Amino acid sequence: MTIQVGLQLYSVRGECAKDLPATLAAVAEMGYVAAEPWGYDGKSLEWQGHAAAEIRTMYEDNGLMCCGIHLSPEALSDDNFKRTVEFNHILNNRFLIIAGDEKRMSTIGGVMQLADMLDDLAYRLGPEGMFTGYHAHPFDFAMLDSGWVAWDALFSNTQNAVIMQMDIGNCAVGGGDPIATLRRFPNRARSVHLKDFGGEPDSVIGEGQADWREIFRLCETVQNTEWYVVEEGSEDGIGFEIPTRSRKALQRMGK
């Protein structure tokens, strides 16, 4: 199965703020087939000042799919749950990923609370044809007082339906081992963020220390990965040079 490649729009957040339709057109022009919004809070049916139906049209006009969305935990609270589901139905998106929860991930009690929340959400989203999950940040790979690595505790205590959205660069920067983690939790990484680490400033995929050959092998064998999502851009999210280079690097790798 060919795993398709999308772009996390946080990579070009400055461009999104200036002109979302033009940004999505540029994403398609770079060779990405999908885009993943960030920062949705569930308080309205809008994102970046545009109604969900408008955004759906922008995606369709550029031949793009919505390969996931990064949410705040509040977007999936009881107050916002129905609206968040409606928003994602409009975008035809199935993957509702909590972008991060540093407070809960800092203690074993908080991790277990988050695990229970994700399990409950997986149950509630199933009838909608949707999945929830959690995205990796460096702080998720800290050792807790309990002796658990926070990330390992979370995915050892959630059902298989909860997506483990590994971020290769974030994991490594936080002291984790992305390859070992992909091996430890098979069939959990339905969406994987591609970001290199250890390279020069503004380096892209293939210019750092990540073992991409092994990462791709694992995603395409022991994992159930459906999307590679690039998250590489300038510090302020302005310009398209870095995500363009990232896409070309993946094309050279056959992706």
Side-chain angles (χ1 to χ4, degrees), residues 38 76 85 127 192 253:
W38 84 97
L76 292 167
V85 168
V192 174
M253 296 177 184

Side-chain angles (χ1 to χ4, degrees), residues 56-71:
R56 170 73 177 261
T57 298
M58 293 176 204
Y59 270 72
E60 291 177 345
D61 286 348
N62 291 289
L64 293 170
M65 293 175 277
C66 187
C67 58
I69 191 169
H70 274 192
L71 309 158

